Amino acid sequence: QYPDFEHCKYLVLWGSNKGGMLQHLGVTAAIDIAESRRDEGMRLVCIDPLQSNIGAKANEWVPIRPGTDLAMALAWLNVLLNEASLYDEEYIKQYTNGPYLVKEDGHYLRDETNLKPLMWDSIDGKAKPFDAKFKDIAIEGSYQIEDTSCRPSFQVFKEHVKTYTPEWAAPITTITAETIRRLAREFGEAA
């Protein structure tokens, strides 16, 4: 599927040479990127160890150390989820397993009858099977159900990425913590 450059406000080409030589028609993509930058004010950030043709024309080229993309991605997740709280809460509640309750052993808490994963209804104050009617689905917090402690899987994920700070990623990627944090926030705010 061809990218929708016309409606894009913030484009991150992360290890991608789109508009250069890979994927789609390089010249067509380069023209569309240039037009979107000119006409729509799109910001273009290129994260790549190699300053390709498209990286040279980007608003910002980020010369990441080869093979360290995961460290930066984990730091971005930490900034987006824990520092800036830039995520689509309603999407997580409705279309992901983010609300599924996870026990301390890492497995979903399930109802004993149908073995369906349970989620917490914060209005009713109780766990219900994922396909029940909910007044408000919790994606954060910690809950005690009988003798079982559990948390929504989104909460578990947020806690997991908390250790991957921009300061942790900076010496690995050779990109400053300030730049990692700024780019993550710009990306999240543009969305």
Side-chain angles (χ1 to χ4, degrees), residues 71-90:
M72 184 178 286
L74 288 168
W76 275 34
L77 280 170
N78 180 30
V79 170
L80 291 169
L81 301 181
N82 293 306
E83 292 183 16
S85 295
L86 291 169
Y87 51 86
D88 188 338
E89 185 175 338
E90 287 309 309

Side-chain angles (χ1 to χ4, degrees), residues 125-180:
K126 64 180 183 177
K128 301 177 183 178
F130 75 93
D131 57 355
K133 295 238 186 243
F134 283 81
K135 293 178 182 166
D136 186 45
I137 300 169
I139 60 171
E140 295 186 69
S142 184
Y143 305 97
Q144 188 72 28
I145 300 166
E146 295 176 12
D147 60 344
T148 304
S149 296
C150 55
R151 299 168 291 162
S153 61
F154 182 71
Q155 179 72 44
V156 173
F157 183 60
K158 280 182 66 173
E159 290 169 11
H160 175 73
V161 300
K162 201 170 217 169
T163 60
Y164 301 113
T165 64
E167 289 73 20
W168 165 83
I172 297 168
T173 62
T174 69
I175 306 304
T176 67
E178 295 78 20
T179 300
I180 293 170

